[in-house]
Amino acid sequence: MTATADANPQPATAAPGLETTVVDPAVVDRVVDRFRSQGIVLPTFAQLAEPGRIPASITSELATVDPDAPDPRNLFRVHWYNAPDRRGLVDVPVHLVLPPELTGVDATIVTVLGRLFPMIGAHKVLAAYACLVPRLVSGGFDPTTHRAVWPSTGNYARGGVAISRIMGCRGVAVLPAGMSRERFEWLDRWVADPADVIRTPGSESNVKEIYDACNELSQDPDNVILNQFSEYSNHLGHYHVTGRALAHTFEHVREARGGGRLAAFVAASGSAGTLGAGDLLKERYGSKTVAVEALECPTLLYNGYGEHNIQGIGDKHLPLIHNVTNQDIVCAVSDRATDELGVLFNTEAGHRHLTERVGVDPDLVERLPALGLSSICNVLAAIKTAKQCRLGVDDIVMTVATDGAELYLSERDKYVGLHHPDGFGAADAAAAHARHLEGVTTDHLLEMTSVDRDRIFNLGYFTWVEQQGIDIEHFDARRDQAFWRGLHHAIDAWDPMIDEINARTGLLDDR
């Protein structure tokens, strides 16, 4: 394995989780033994980017596997090509093409659906896989002794717990106590010990409290902190897997409509992992990359702070893996809009208004529950971008739907009870549509200059250098795009290491 990996130079940084050679052969031996006993075969990143490369024997087995079960074969579903039933494969990632009747803009807005990912119904399970596997194959994580700690505002922690359970190791979720009830109900079913769900103070905006809890946990050497906000493998997983899936979807949409250009890719900042896909799209198509945040906590836009309910966006800080100097636009969306559109998209009154009064295709309206709160946020930011950049019929804007509405049923009930105590009726639906779709404006949006990029980049100093102890040279190196390009070869090294682990278990020989 070492000889194969040594053919690739080390990444531009020595950050944990980026090792491209074996650091502890004895741990790798234990990984092999664990995987052999648990029946675990690891998919390569190339297979997740192009599931057609997955061995036919595994693909056929998946037909009988529950996509929500802690079955090792579900690792081969950690990609964007799952069918609507989440069991089969599709040729092109499942996506929604949002028409002008709904968006109010001439540009075509396309969102790929994360709810079809296995086990957690959200694409964050890809980030969790990307963060843990490099450590496993290099010997940096021992599943027989280590505990995997997953700091998150929800979906990444759930993805990490799911991956940990499959690996037969203990997974610890660290997330704010104010997140949706559905997140905690899922965790209660999946963790081995209730103590493995650590509820930190606050809600979506309280990321520092998560870091504080992880710093305390890190005092125990058996705890390995897999911090999505600083794990470059999160960025790389989305660059290679999500980026290529989005590119494929764009090519499909462009061909279907007889042409068009990719004008922009839009994603909420969160951990900034998904924004890594924008780097690949910009390289291929010259598209703009748009980072989105909550208006109630406009950290990037105004160096602001506050609380909000767009669950899936962690803020009041700048992630270490956010490639700020490659961003073009930053904009903010209000949680009042996402909460109310979440009701509009998921109620009978809302569906009736959209089909009968607005003229949206009923088939599309029936699919709108595929959009969770942060997914709606991304769509609204795509509309703002189209208006700001004066995009027309030849322009396509790509975005992602991290998860679906089923993760926010309790939040919707809470919102309706507070703001529509007599129920959400026809007048409420008309008002929500007028205010939050027809009424989308270009306020709270910044087309970034080099000065803006430097200002936002510098904001990260206070979290990562002063609070978290990142080396200043490492921090500053991230300003240069050569740093990010220097990371890209790491997956080319990891895939052969994954292949060797699989070969040593011998499990593929039996298929």
Side-chain angles (χ1 to χ4, degrees), residues 66-77:
D66 179 355
D68 290 315
D71 188 306
R73 291 168 292 184
N74 271 328
L75 296 176
F76 285 88
R77 285 179 167 140

Side-chain angles (χ1 to χ4, degrees), residues 20-71:
T20 56
T21 57
V22 173
V23 297
D24 193 330
V27 170
V28 173
D29 290 342
R30 291 194 287 276
V31 169
V32 170
D33 290 342
R34 169 60 60 84
F35 284 11
R36 186 184 296 118
S37 66
Q38 299 279 63
I40 300 169
V41 178
L42 296 177
T44 64
F45 288 97
Q47 289 169 338
L48 297 181
E50 298 179 34
R53 298 187 180 196
I54 296 172
S57 57
I58 292 178
T59 301
S60 63
E61 287 180 30
L62 281 172
T64 64
V65 175
D66 179 355
D68 290 315
D71 188 306

Side-chain angles (χ1 to χ4, degrees), residues 1 22-42 75 129 132-146 166-169 497-507:
M1 184 188 315
V22 173
V23 297
D24 193 330
V27 170
V28 173
D29 290 342
R30 291 194 287 276
V31 169
V32 170
D33 290 342
R34 169 60 60 84
F35 284 11
R36 186 184 296 118
S37 66
Q38 299 279 63
I40 300 169
V41 178
L42 296 177
L75 296 176
Y129 183 83
L132 183 58
V133 165
R135 292 178 185 256
L136 284 165
V137 299
S138 66
F141 184 91
D142 187 342
T144 68
T145 60
H146 285 147
I166 284 176
M167 302 299 180
C169 63
M497 297 168 79
I498 291 172
D499 285 335
E500 184 155 341
I501 292 283
N502 290 337
R504 289 182 61 187
T505 66
L507 293 172

